[in-house]
Structure formats: C-alpha cells, structure tokens
Amino acid sequence: MYLEQINAPSDVRRFNSEQLCALADEMRTAMLNRLSKRGGHFGPNFGMVEATIALHYVFDSPQDKIVFDVSHQVYCHKLLTGRQAAFTDDERFGEASGYSNPDESEHDFFKIGHTSTSVSLACGLAKARDLKGESGNVIAVIGDGSLSGGEALEGLDFAAELGGNLIIVVNDNDMSIAENHGGLYDNLRRLRQSGGKCEQNLFRAMGLDYTFVPDGNDIGALIDAFTAVRGCERPTVVHICTEKGRGYAPAVADKENWHWSGPFDVQSGQPLCDGGDNYHDLTGRLLRGLMADDGSVVAITSGTPAVMGFSADMRAAAGRQFVDVGIAEEHAVALASGIATGGGKPFYGVYSSFIQRTYDQLSQDVCINGSPVTIAVFAASVYGMSDITHLGIFDIPLISNIPNMVYLAPTCREEYEAMVRWSMNQTDYPVAIRVPGDGVNSNRSMPIADYGRLNRSTVTHRGNGVAVIAVGSFYSLGEAALERLRGEGIDATLINPVYLTGLDTELLDSLTDDHRVVVTLEDGILDGGFGQKVAAYYGDSGMKVLCRGLKKEFIDRYDVDEILRQNGLTAEQIAADAIKAL
Amino acid sequence: MYLEQINAPSDVRRFNSEQLCALADEMRTAMLNRLSKRGGHFGPNFGMVEATIALHYVFDSPQDKIVFDVSHQVYCHKLLTGRQAAFTDDERFGEASGYSNPDESEHDFFKIGHTSTSVSLACGLAKARDLKGESGNVIAVIGDGSLSGGEALEGLDFAAELGGNLIIVVNDNDMSIAENHGGLYDNLRRLRQSGGKCEQNLFRAMGLDYTFVPDGNDIGALIDAFTAVRGCERPTVVHICTEKGRGYAPAVADKENWHWSGPFDVQSGQPLCDGGDNYHDLTGRLLRGLMADDGSVVAITSGTPAVMGFSADMRAAAGRQFVDVGIAEEHAVALASGIATGGGKPFYGVYSSFIQRTYDQLSQDVCINGSPVTIAVFAASVYGMSDITHLGIFDIPLISNIPNMVYLAPTCREEYEAMVRWSMNQTDYPVAIRVPGDGVNSNRSMPIADYGRLNRSTVTHRGNGVAVIAVGSFYSLGEAALERLRGEGIDATLINPVYLTGLDTELLDSLTDDHRVVVTLEDGILDGGFGQKVAAYYGDSGMKVLCRGLKKEFIDRYDVDEILRQNGLTAEQIAADAIKAL
C-alpha cells in the first residue's frame, strides 16, 4: 500500500512510475469508498488522479501554491495532503469537506466552491509573491467547463499582463457538468484533435504561452510537462486532456449523471436512495407543456440543465427552445432580458447560490429595462445545500431589494405552478420565483391569485392577538407555530405573504385593530430580508414585531434542526416568544 | 445643412459620399455644442460619427436592431434618430439622456449604462427573432475597452453557438477610459498592425467570423463592410479602427481626459468649472503615502484609475504597486483576495454603481475566506451620479448583508483617512469604506477609533427623547435636524453609527432609558439597508423607529433637493416627523 506511506505530498517522489500507477489505483479505491457511501463530485476527481500526483511530484506545496477551481478536483489533492482518513475510514468522513479548505490543510489556500475563480485568485497570490520579492510557482487548475465563466475569462485576459510565474493547468475532460456550450469549446476540440497545433488558439490569442499534453492520465507525460514549465517566467497554460470518471465504468459511460453522485452501490452503480418527487422534474414537466403551447417559450440554463429537470433526451427534444449557455450566469440573465425585449418568453432556472453572480445583470439588464423574464431560484433554503460555498440563504436580500423586480415565494406546488404560468404569460414585470426548499408539498386550499395585483398577501387563517407571517418554505413552520399557540389558548392569524418585494400595507394596517404581535418567519438571513421591512413598517406604531430567520453568517455542513433551534425557529420557540411579547 | 433633413435614420441614404462627410462634420458641431455646455462622453462619440452614419446607411432600424454597449457611442445615433434638437437647441438638452433609452425612441432597445452588456442583449434579440420566425439583422456595437468585461466575454463565447444572424461591431479606438490592459489587447494591436491577418485571432478562436476595417472613420469603407455582412447567417465580428476624439484636437491629444468631459471652452478646451477638493485626489495622495511606506501596498482599479486620483504619470511612478485590470470588476475583487491571502495589502477603488458586478466575488472570493482587502466605494450617495444606470444608492443592501464584511461609513475626511489607514494595516477583516458623497467635509472633533472593535457607534451629542442615527454622508443632515429640534425645545441625541454591517446593541439598549423615538438617516434606499436593522432590533420594545432614506426605485436625472424632499429627508421634515412620533 503506497497511499499509507504518504505523509506529505512530496512523498510521491519516493515512488517509481509503476508504484505511482499503483498509488493512482489506491486513490480511486479510497474515493470510491467515500463517494459510494456519502456522495460527492465523482467524475472530475476520478479523471484528475494522475495529474494531481504529477503536480505534487513536480511542485513543492505549499511553497508552490496550487489553486483548484470549484474544488471539483480536490479530493485527489486531499488524499495526498494528509487527509486520507477522510476517504478510507468511514468514521472520519466528516474530517474533510467536499471543497478546498485552508482550515483543513496548509496546502489549501482558499475555500472555493463557485466556478471560474482559480485564475484570478492565483494571479493574486502571484502578485503578492512578486510585490514581496518572494519566489515559488503559483498554479491554477481549472476545468474546461469553468472556462466559459466571465470571471475566468477576465482572469485569463489579465494573466498575460501580470507577467512573472503563473501556470494555468486546463483540465480538459470535454465536459462541463453536462456537455460544454460556447464557441471556445470548438477551439478546445480542434486543439485536442490537432495535438495543440491548430491554427487558432484561444490561450495564445489571450497572450499566454501554451503547452499541450494529449494524455492527461499519463503520469510520466504530465511530470515531463509540469517539469518543463516549473519556474517559467511568463504565464503559461498547460492544456491536459483527461477522461472524466476514469477508472469506474458507469461514470465513464454516463459522464453527465456521474459528475456528482449520491450514495450508490459500487457493483451496479445504482443509486441507494430514491430521489422522489422534486421541483426539478416538476419544473421540467411544466416547461415542456408551456413550450408545446408556445414556440416563443425558451428555457435557459447556465450549465446545470438538471436544475430544471432536463435530461439530454429532453434537451434534444426541446430543440431551440432549450438553451444551455454553459457556465455563464451573467450572460444567461442578459440573454433572457434580450429575449423578453424581443417578444420571447424566457425562463431561467438557477441555484440560489449561483444567482449571486448576476446582481448587476438583474439590476441593469433586466430590472431597469422592466424585461418580463421569469427566473426560478432553486435550493434557496436552509433545507438546500449546506456547504459554506453553496448556501441558499442570501437570495432574499440580494434579489428583493432591486427596484421593479417581483420576487414571489410560493408555499406549495399549486402556488408555484400558478406563479410560473402567470409569469410566463405576462409582460409587465421581471419575476423571480423562490422555489420551495422543503420538499414538494401539496396544498389545494391555498388560494391562487392574479399575481399581477402586486403585494397582496393571503390570510389563510384569521385570528387575533398574534399574526404569523410565514414566507415560502417556512409556511408549514408557521402552521406548526399556530398549532402550538392554539394549545396555549391563542387563536393566531396566519399569513402567506406571497411577495418578497413589497408589503401588503392594507393588511398590515388592518392587523393593528386586534393584533399586538406580528412574527415574521423567513427561510434565509434576516439582514436585508423580508421581516426587517415589516418591522420598519410598524416602526412608529405600537405593534411588536419579532423577526425570525437566520443570523447573517457563513455556516458549513450544518444540521438543519440544530440551525433552526439556534435561530429560534422551532414551532415551540416561536410560540413561546410570541406569548412572551404579547 | 444636411442634419436638419434627417427625420428618419434611413434618410442618410439620400446623400452622396461628399454630403455624408459634410453630415459628419455637422454631427460633430452639434455634439460640440451640447458637450461644451453640459458635458458628457466625448471621445468615443467623436470617433463613432462615420460608423454610425454607415450603420444607418446599411441597416434598416428599427427592423434591424442596433444595441450600443455602455451607450458611450450613442450620441451619434441619437442625432440620426429624431433627437437632434437635444444637441443643437440649448433649451432642449433635457430631451435626451446621455444613454440609450427606449422611452426616447423606437430605435433604442435598452437602457444601457454599464459596460460589456451589448453582445448578450443582442444575442437575446436574435434568439427571440429566430424563435418567432422573424427576420432582420441584429447588431451589437461594442468598444474595445468593454471587451475585457466578463459579461462581454461570456457573450462572445455564446454567440458562436447561437448561430443565425448576429453582427458584432468592435469599435477599436485603442483606448478604454485610460489605456487598455489585458492580453487580448495585444491581440487587437497585432490585428490592427497586420490588417486583421495575424496568426492568432481572439474572435476566430471564439468561433466567430471576422472582418477587418482599417479605417473606421471612412464612411465608404464602412458602408462596404457592413453591406458585406448584412444578412449574414453566422455571428460575425466587424473590427473597425476609429480615432477616439476625432475632429477635436484637444480630445485627440489627450484621449484619457477627454473620454468624458465637463463643460469646457471650445476654443481652448479648458474646463469651465474648477473641480475643487475631492475624495479622488485625496485618496490618491493617501495611497501614494502608504505605498511609499510599504512595498506590499497595491492599488487596484478596473479601468477607472481617476476614481483613485491616479493620473498616467502617477500610475507610472507607482510601478508594480498600481494595477489596472481593465474593465473586469469581478477579477479585480478576486485578485485583491488573492493578494491579501498572499500577504499583500490590496486597495480597490470603485464606483458604487460598478461594484454591483461583484456581489459573488465579495461573498465567495473575499468574505468566506476572510481576506483582508480594502475596498473604497465612491459616488455611493444620492449626491453621486444621477443617471438611472449609475445610481449610487444600492450598495448598502448589496454589501452590508454579506457575512464577515465590515462596511464603514465615514462622515468626514478625518474619519475616512483614519479608516483607510486602519484597514490597510489590519489582517482580520474584509473592509469596504463608503466614501462620503457630500463633498470633502472636515470635522476635527469627530472621534477616531480603533475600528477593529467592531460595531461601536459614536455618540456626538447626548440628549434625550429623540435620537438621530445619521449614516455617513447624511451626518450633516442629522446635525441640521438636531438644530431644528433644538429650536422646538428638544435636545436630541446625535449618533454616527460608523458601521453599516452591525449594530451597537449596547448603545441601542441604553437609549431605551430616556429616548422614545429613534430616527435613522441613510444615504441610499431603505429596503435591505441600515435603518431597517435598527427597526427590527427595537421590534419587541416600545421604542418608535422612523427609518428615513430613499424609496426603492430607479430614478433618473433627478434633482437632489427634490428627491430628498419626496423622501422626507429635509431637516424640517425629519424634525417634524420626530416630534409627531414623540
């Protein structure tokens, strides 16, 4: 066993080429152990085993600094930098996150989970090195899928002018999460086919030196290539071609679905948990119906088609009515604005964490222009992704404070579907819809409204004394709190606010007649959010307002129940606090 | 006079080549009239006269749709699309904004004022056309300076795959606002030098067809080039070389300072108003001192070096301690994080309106990583830029709700300088500083604190009954309100909150002893801002809170006093409202 003998990454240099190949096998076995039981980013890591060995063979981490884009290739790096046990010992999985993390190791320089950042961050490390007169190589590792992101392209453009040592390893596995999209991928294809020698070369056109490695799973060839650029005095791209999913047949056969995997049976490759009903598939079905009825409906994704429930077959069937712009969130939003202005009906589905890339496009390209786009914001919830880089708890302050935007918070599938249908058939407003994060709940009694009459909330139960305004995914929490209050003899009012971008001031005014306490519940951070608007509205009245939501902080791999309790968001706590305030 | 004969843009076709040249002269005279009296974007418009004539000669606007990036070339277009009077008649200047504007003309498709958006927006128009089975050319006009922006690069990458008709006119005047920065500009230079025939071609590498026009001020050559691509069935770049400032000698001689100009004397080119003391120059002086003391201090700009008071000479003198990344705000922020992580001391100066591009980088690249960057946010004020696309009233909700960020609001130059010095010499926090927007006020009595003791507000006058919390630029408004209250027999408390990212809860608690009303004053929109946090904090107390700031709306070319009055932000209104609430 070679993996066990590695205490520092430089230990890989003690092995001959045969032993290095055996090490690669052991690393895949270790990753298979963790990923089959816990899930994670499968394909990119399985493809990068050899390159990671070669990087640590040639460079001296941490004096030489390697920055991994998105962290989608960082498991191999973790295996060689003192974190093997988090892969081989089931009891210790929790010791390593799924992303690069300086808290875990001196060989990690940033917490990274969004794409396309590595070149810019590495430029910064190189610039600091040069300002301080230090030495050492700085290496950015970036996948081909990440290249289309604006931040990566800005970084590549700047790198040439930075001067000095900078090595950009382009890990080209000819895949984003799904297939790549964009003109630059045609250039990558031609570079692969010509052995790096075709007429046009995007990297050289950006002013960068360039080296091509045809087999990015050949440790010897990689060591030679990295050795050749070590200590280079100009920014240099090393373009390596790897096989996504290498070493595990099901992942090689179906690269898109094995980009990320939940727990699975190693023999068959079959998932161990059934996904069940979800808003991704539901959205896909809804959109396909809308597309069939109207040829100007177009679904847009920025590299994550599964978020809208579109498999490869469904994308092909949708033809020109489905657009994958690649990882290019800014372009996706501006494109949607252009389509809407031209009379089309764009629907953009995106994770809450990634819409953060688009504040300016939402404001300038969409909202100033009043473009009637529809944006569905997924995993926007404490129940969403729990990694520090993928939190879905910031989109309310991000989106709801932009003028002209209508941000809707459905509480159930019936409301969600009605909102999508309304939005896709109106031309008055830019609309974002916060897809519920607490599973697909059905509630046939929830009133469906004409959402064009802005800022009309729905009172689902009229009581007195206490009013609970429960936003979106937290509507059921509001129901539970009401139940608790009822047990204490209080017949509280329950309100579904429907809108995050404006208050139903008529309703709020009417509450002052027979209510003394208003509690707001929102599935996101409190700062800049919905509840604070309610508190400010009642600021000069005698109404007491309790805002309940999450504290403004980056949380990481949290337990949902624990986080809710810490923030006073259990039904018991809400009821008790309301009673105390009465 | 030919300009007078143009009622529709197609009227340019009635003129022969000699007459078109005369028309170009008349257009420059018209622009000179407006710009010398009112100011505006000078250089790019003076360079684009001939190309705009040629565009309207060849294409049929509005069936053919032209989208102008940043709108920096849109004056010429306005002159040919029914808005001449806004240039030739001093009484009617107000009829045209400085940016493209669909409210003014059917020949404008978007309100545009941020860079790098035209390709994506044009892709959207083209996609809508194709979905609906319509016809017509779609043309994006983009300056070379805008090409380095992530949104533009994402758009170029996507365009090739879009297919169908799309024409991208690259207006290459070899300048951004200042000189260009980035590897792609070396490629543009080689394309210019080789007549478009050099080995590497960024546009072809992105999968786009390409045509080169060496003299972009030659109407005949432009008409030929545009005619050749009219109706093209693949996305095509037409790279034209124009002279920035063409036709006005001072603007040709000093392209950077004539990118934009205030009112000036036509004969001498001398400005008619003296700028006076300002935070740009003050920041430059401060930074040059810090740089001299510490070689790891580095100032970063994204294409607007004047924002930090750095002229070309000063940039040269600063050497590697001054970095212009070109128009690439996302990269600028990530670069700063990398530099800080590597032990350098980055300072990024940026306009409030443009930091909107960087929410995700502030959150992911900087704040999750706790990188000690210093970001100075300029023109973040109702007193800042008043065009709808350049408002400085949204950065408080944008920045202050990101965890780990410390957002400071200095009230005077002494506090600003102390904050910059503190921030540049600490390594604990990412820091943003909201540069005062109400001119350079000196206040030697304002206490200077250790800003590392977070969220300690400054009580500058302790009274009772009413407390006014006056943020940053609105501190002097708070003083004026106090004066009014004093006249009514009320000795109010005045507080400089210092921090926008957290509350001084100890102080707020202490106010409940002898205050009944708290008024918050903030120079930005209320939604998601500072005052609402105060209101929420006091939500379950008896304290009345009046939040005063701007309504969440896009305002355009407003009168500051009128906007303040509409939002209850005069000293009289504040005092009256406070008394009413008592």
Side-chain angles (χ1 to χ4, degrees):
Chain A
M1 293 292 284
Y2 302 103
L3 188 52
E4 287 169 0
Q5 300 174 46
I6 293 180
N7 296 308
S10 57
D11 288 342
V12 297
R13 276 176 230 146
R14 294 169 19 204
F15 303 131
N16 63 28
S17 61
E18 198 175 324
Q19 292 168 321
L20 290 174
C21 289
L23 172 66
D25 289 343
E26 291 174 21
M27 290 168 68
R28 287 195 169 89
T29 302
M31 290 197 290
L32 204 58
N33 179 59
R34 177 183 167 118
L35 298 188
S36 64
K37 292 166 184 164
R38 198 179 166 107
H41 284 97
F42 195 104
N45 278 294
F46 271 65
M48 272 292 286
V49 173
E50 288 79 11
T52 309
I53 293 171
L55 282 167
H56 284 302
Y57 193 98
V58 173
F59 297 104
D60 280 316
S61 179
Q63 285 70 40
D64 292 332
K65 297 174 172 45
I66 311 173
V67 183
F68 291 92
D69 204 87
V70 219
S71 301
H72 281 176
Q73 329 82 343
V74 89
Y75 299 164
C76 318
H77 170 73
K78 293 197 179 196
L79 283 167
L80 299 180
T81 51
R83 289 166 279 182
Q84 300 158 23
F87 293 81
T88 55
D89 182 346
D90 298 12
E91 302 296 312
R92 297 176 65 185
F93 285 166
E95 291 178 12
S97 75
Y99 300 89
S100 74
N101 190 343
D103 299 340
E104 291 175 7
S105 169
E106 62 173 348
H107 300 283
D108 293 9
F109 301 92
F110 302 95
K111 295 180 184 176
I112 296 179
H114 282 196
T115 63
S116 313
T117 71
S118 62
V119 178
S120 295
L121 292 170
C123 283
L125 292 178
K127 180 72 185 176
R129 173 199 63 200
D130 296 344
L131 284 168
K132 295 165 72 188
E134 297 173 349
S135 60
N137 292 273
V138 175
I139 302 107
V141 176
I142 183 166
D144 53 326
S146 290
L147 287 176
S148 58
E151 188 174 347
L153 291 165
E154 288 182 358
L156 286 172
D157 178 44
F158 174 80
E161 186 164 315
L162 173 71
N165 170 275
L166 180 74
I167 296 161
I168 300 166
V169 177
V170 174
N171 168 34
D172 183 0
N173 59 24
D174 194 19
M175 285 290 284
S176 186
I177 295 177
E179 73 284 357
N180 283 307
H181 287 277
L184 77 84
Y185 295 101
D186 195 47
N187 189 233
L188 289 190
R189 182 181 55 74
R190 283 182 283 127
L191 285 167
R192 286 194 303 273
Q193 290 173 349
S194 66
K197 297 193 173 88
C198 64
E199 191 183 1
Q200 298 297 334
N201 180 317
L202 178 74
F203 305 108
R204 288 193 191 278
M206 288 266 198
L208 302 163
D209 288 349
Y210 176 85
T211 303
F212 181 75
V213 180
D215 184 355
N217 294 104
D218 176 339
I219 297 177
L222 289 162
I223 288 175
D224 291 347
F226 294 149
T227 302
V229 299
R230 185 177 57 196
C232 64
E233 293 179 352
R234 280 179 41 77
T236 300
V237 167
V238 183
H239 179 184
I240 69 174
C241 305
T242 64
E243 183 179 46
K244 195 168 184 177
R246 177 103 161 188
Y248 187 65
V252 172
D254 184 358
K255 295 187 169 66
E256 177 175 346
N257 283 314
W258 283 88
H259 172 79
W260 184 90
S261 167
F264 60 92
D265 174 70
V266 174
Q267 290 308 315
S268 66
Q270 290 302 306
L272 294 181
C273 349
D274 174 24
D277 207 9
N278 62 71
Y279 276 104
H280 307 296
D281 295 337
L282 186 155
T283 302
R285 288 193 296 273
L286 185 56
L287 282 175
R288 288 188 290 279
L290 292 168
M291 286 173 175
D293 294 342
D294 184 341
S296 75
V297 169
V298 56
I300 301 170
T301 183
S302 45
T304 57
V307 80
M308 289 185 293
F310 272 76
S311 65
D313 287 350
M314 294 169 190
R315 301 196 292 271
R320 66 183 184 181
Q321 287 183 270
F322 190 92
V323 176
D324 184 346
V325 300
I327 290 172
E329 291 85 358
E330 300 174 76
H331 172 71
V333 169
L335 178 77
S337 176
I339 291 173
T341 301
K345 296 180 176 177
F347 180 101
Y348 176 42
V350 57
Y351 286 113
S352 167
S353 184
F354 302 150
I355 201 167
Q356 296 184 178
R357 281 272 160 89
T358 70
Y359 177 90
D360 194 59
Q361 288 72 33
L362 291 174
S363 174
Q364 294 278 322
D365 297 329
V366 171
C367 286
I368 282 182
N369 287 290
S371 306
V373 305
T374 302
I375 299 175
V377 184
F378 288 83
S381 172
V382 69
Y383 306 109
M385 294 180 276
S386 70
D387 293 291
I388 191 169
T389 49
H390 286 68
L391 303 173
I393 59 177
F394 302 115
D395 54 277
I396 298 178
L398 185 85
I399 297 172
S400 71
N401 298 316
I402 302 175
N404 296 353
M405 177 65 85
V406 176
Y407 197 14
L408 298 167
T411 60
C412 60
R413 65 176 294 170
E414 288 80 3
E415 222 180 354
Y416 172 66
E417 290 179 347
M419 287 169 173
V420 171
R421 288 180 192 283
W422 165 76
S423 181
M424 293 295 286
N425 285 297
Q426 58 83 37
T427 54
D428 295 326
Y429 309 106
V431 174
I433 304 174
R434 198 166 199 249
V435 182
D438 58 337
V440 181
N441 297 323
S442 177
N443 181 356
R444 291 178 192 278
S445 63
M446 183 60 72
I448 301 306
D450 168 10
Y451 300 105
R453 296 182 65 210
L454 295 186
N455 305 330
R456 301 283 179 140
S457 299
T458 297
V459 179
T460 54
H461 177 75
R462 184 96 201 186
N464 58 68
V466 174
V468 177
I469 307 182
V471 177
S473 316
F474 275 6
Y475 181 76
S476 53
L477 178 62
E479 288 181 311
L482 240 71
E483 191 61 34
R484 288 270 164 180
L485 286 164
R486 202 169 291 127
E488 303 290 331
I490 296 165
D491 179 28
T493 293
L494 183 60
I495 296 167
N496 166 10
V498 182
Y499 298 85
L500 289 164
T501 28
L503 302 179
D504 188 339
T505 54
E506 200 176 305
L507 173 62
L508 294 184
D509 289 345
S510 77
L511 294 179
T512 56
D513 296 341
D514 51 356
H515 292 74
R516 287 169 55 203
V517 175
V518 168
V519 184
T520 64
L521 305 179
E522 67 194 295
D523 187 2
I525 61 164
L526 284 168
D527 278 33
F530 178 78
Q532 295 189 340
K533 292 174 179 58
V534 175
Y537 184 76
Y538 281 125
D540 63 351
S541 79
M543 185 71 84
K544 290 196 174 179
V545 180
L546 307 181
C547 298
R548 291 294 177 267
L550 301 187
K551 193 178 156 196
K552 179 183 73 171
E553 60 181 343
F554 290 116
I555 46 182
D556 195 13
R557 291 169 288 159
Y558 55 82
D559 177 81
V560 173
D561 290 336
E562 180 54 29
I563 283 290
L564 293 179
R565 188 170 308 277
Q566 280 173 17
N567 287 283
L569 280 165
T570 65
E572 300 90 311
Q573 290 168 308
I574 295 161
D577 288 350
I579 290 167
K580 192 170 152 207
L582 258 180
Chain B
M1 293 291 284
Y2 301 102
L3 189 52
E4 287 169 0
Q5 300 175 44
I6 293 180
N7 296 307
S10 56
D11 288 343
V12 297
R13 277 176 228 145
R14 292 166 26 201
F15 302 132
N16 63 29
S17 59
E18 198 174 325
Q19 292 168 320
L20 290 175
C21 290
L23 172 66
D25 290 342
E26 291 174 20
M27 289 167 68
R28 286 196 170 86
T29 302
M31 290 197 290
L32 203 58
N33 180 59
R34 177 183 168 118
L35 298 188
S36 64
K37 292 166 184 165
R38 198 181 165 107
H41 284 97
F42 196 103
N45 278 293
F46 272 63
M48 272 293 287
V49 172
E50 289 79 10
T52 310
I53 293 172
L55 281 168
H56 284 301
Y57 193 98
V58 173
F59 298 104
D60 280 316
S61 178
Q63 285 69 40
D64 293 330
K65 296 173 174 43
I66 311 173
V67 183
F68 291 93
D69 205 86
V70 218
S71 301
H72 281 176
Q73 329 83 343
V74 87
Y75 299 163
C76 318
H77 169 74
K78 293 198 178 196
L79 282 166
L80 300 180
T81 52
R83 290 166 278 182
Q84 302 158 24
F87 294 80
T88 55
D89 182 346
D90 299 11
E91 303 295 313
R92 298 176 65 185
F93 286 166
E95 292 179 10
S97 75
Y99 300 88
S100 74
N101 190 343
D103 299 340
E104 291 176 5
S105 169
E106 62 173 348
H107 300 283
D108 294 9
F109 301 92
F110 303 96
K111 295 181 183 176
I112 296 179
H114 282 196
T115 63
S116 313
T117 70
S118 62
V119 178
S120 294
L121 292 171
C123 282
L125 292 178
K127 179 73 186 177
R129 173 199 63 201
D130 296 343
L131 284 168
K132 295 164 73 187
E134 296 173 350
S135 60
N137 293 271
V138 175
I139 303 106
V141 176
I142 182 165
D144 52 326
S146 290
L147 286 176
S148 57
E151 189 174 347
L153 291 166
E154 288 182 357
L156 286 172
D157 177 45
F158 174 79
E161 185 164 316
L162 173 71
N165 170 275
L166 179 75
I167 296 161
I168 300 166
V169 177
V170 173
N171 169 34
D172 182 0
N173 59 26
D174 194 18
M175 285 290 284
S176 185
I177 295 175
E179 72 284 358
N180 283 309
H181 288 278
L184 77 84
Y185 295 101
D186 195 47
N187 188 234
L188 288 190
R189 183 182 55 74
R190 284 182 283 129
L191 286 167
R192 285 195 304 273
Q193 291 173 347
S194 66
K197 297 193 173 90
C198 63
E199 190 184 1
Q200 298 298 334
N201 182 316
L202 178 73
F203 305 108
R204 289 194 191 277
M206 287 266 197
L208 301 163
D209 287 350
Y210 176 85
T211 302
F212 181 75
V213 180
D215 184 353
N217 294 103
D218 177 339
I219 298 176
L222 289 162
I223 288 175
D224 290 346
F226 294 149
T227 303
V229 299
R230 185 177 56 197
C232 63
E233 293 179 351
R234 278 180 42 79
T236 300
V237 167
V238 183
H239 179 184
I240 69 174
C241 304
T242 65
E243 183 179 45
K244 196 168 184 177
R246 176 100 160 192
Y248 186 65
V252 172
D254 184 358
K255 294 186 170 68
E256 177 175 345
N257 283 312
W258 283 88
H259 171 80
W260 183 90
S261 167
F264 60 92
D265 174 69
V266 174
Q267 290 307 314
S268 66
Q270 290 302 306
L272 293 180
C273 349
D274 174 25
D277 207 10
N278 62 71
Y279 276 103
H280 307 296
D281 295 338
L282 187 155
T283 302
R285 288 193 297 273
L286 185 56
L287 281 175
R288 287 189 290 280
L290 293 169
M291 285 173 176
D293 294 341
D294 184 339
S296 74
V297 168
V298 56
I300 301 170
T301 184
S302 44
T304 58
V307 80
M308 289 185 293
F310 273 77
S311 66
D313 287 350
M314 295 169 190
R315 301 197 291 271
R320 65 183 185 179
Q321 287 184 269
F322 190 93
V323 176
D324 185 346
V325 300
I327 290 173
E329 292 85 359
E330 300 174 75
H331 173 71
V333 170
L335 178 76
S337 176
I339 291 172
T341 300
K345 297 180 175 177
F347 180 102
Y348 175 44
V350 57
Y351 286 113
S352 167
S353 184
F354 302 151
I355 201 168
Q356 297 184 177
R357 283 271 161 90
T358 71
Y359 177 90
D360 195 59
Q361 289 71 33
L362 292 174
S363 174
Q364 295 278 321
D365 296 331
V366 171
C367 287
I368 282 182
N369 287 290
S371 306
V373 305
T374 303
I375 299 175
V377 184
F378 288 83
S381 173
V382 69
Y383 305 109
M385 293 180 276
S386 70
D387 293 291
I388 191 169
T389 50
H390 287 67
L391 303 173
I393 58 176
F394 302 115
D395 55 276
I396 298 179
L398 186 84
I399 295 172
S400 72
N401 298 316
I402 301 176
N404 296 354
M405 177 66 86
V406 175
Y407 198 16
L408 298 167
T411 61
C412 60
R413 66 175 293 170
E414 288 81 1
E415 222 180 353
Y416 172 67
E417 291 179 346
M419 286 170 173
V420 171
R421 289 181 192 283
W422 165 76
S423 181
M424 293 296 285
N425 285 296
Q426 58 83 38
T427 54
D428 295 327
Y429 310 106
V431 174
I433 304 174
R434 198 167 201 249
V435 183
D438 58 337
V440 180
N441 297 324
S442 176
N443 181 356
R444 291 178 191 277
S445 62
M446 182 60 71
I448 302 306
D450 167 10
Y451 299 105
R453 297 182 64 211
L454 296 185
N455 305 329
R456 301 283 178 139
S457 299
T458 297
V459 180
T460 54
H461 177 75
R462 183 98 200 186
N464 58 68
V466 174
V468 177
I469 307 181
V471 177
S473 316
F474 275 6
Y475 180 77
S476 53
L477 179 62
E479 289 182 311
L482 240 70
E483 190 61 37
R484 288 270 164 179
L485 285 164
R486 201 169 291 129
E488 303 290 332
I490 296 166
D491 178 28
T493 294
L494 183 60
I495 296 167
N496 165 9
V498 183
Y499 299 85
L500 290 163
T501 28
L503 301 179
D504 187 339
T505 55
E506 200 175 306
L507 173 62
L508 294 184
D509 289 346
S510 78
L511 294 178
T512 56
D513 296 341
D514 52 355
H515 292 75
R516 287 170 55 203
V517 174
V518 168
V519 184
T520 65
L521 304 179
E522 69 194 294
D523 187 3
I525 61 164
L526 284 169
D527 278 35
F530 177 79
Q532 295 190 338
K533 292 175 178 57
V534 175
Y537 184 77
Y538 281 124
D540 63 351
S541 78
M543 185 71 85
K544 291 195 174 180
V545 180
L546 306 181
C547 298
R548 291 292 178 269
L550 301 187
K551 193 180 156 195
K552 179 183 72 171
E553 61 182 342
F554 291 116
I555 46 183
D556 195 13
R557 290 169 289 159
Y558 55 82
D559 177 81
V560 173
D561 290 336
E562 179 55 29
I563 283 290
L564 292 179
R565 188 170 308 279
Q566 281 173 17
N567 287 283
L569 280 164
T570 66
E572 301 90 311
Q573 290 169 308
I574 295 162
D577 288 349
I579 291 167
K580 193 172 152 206
L582 258 180

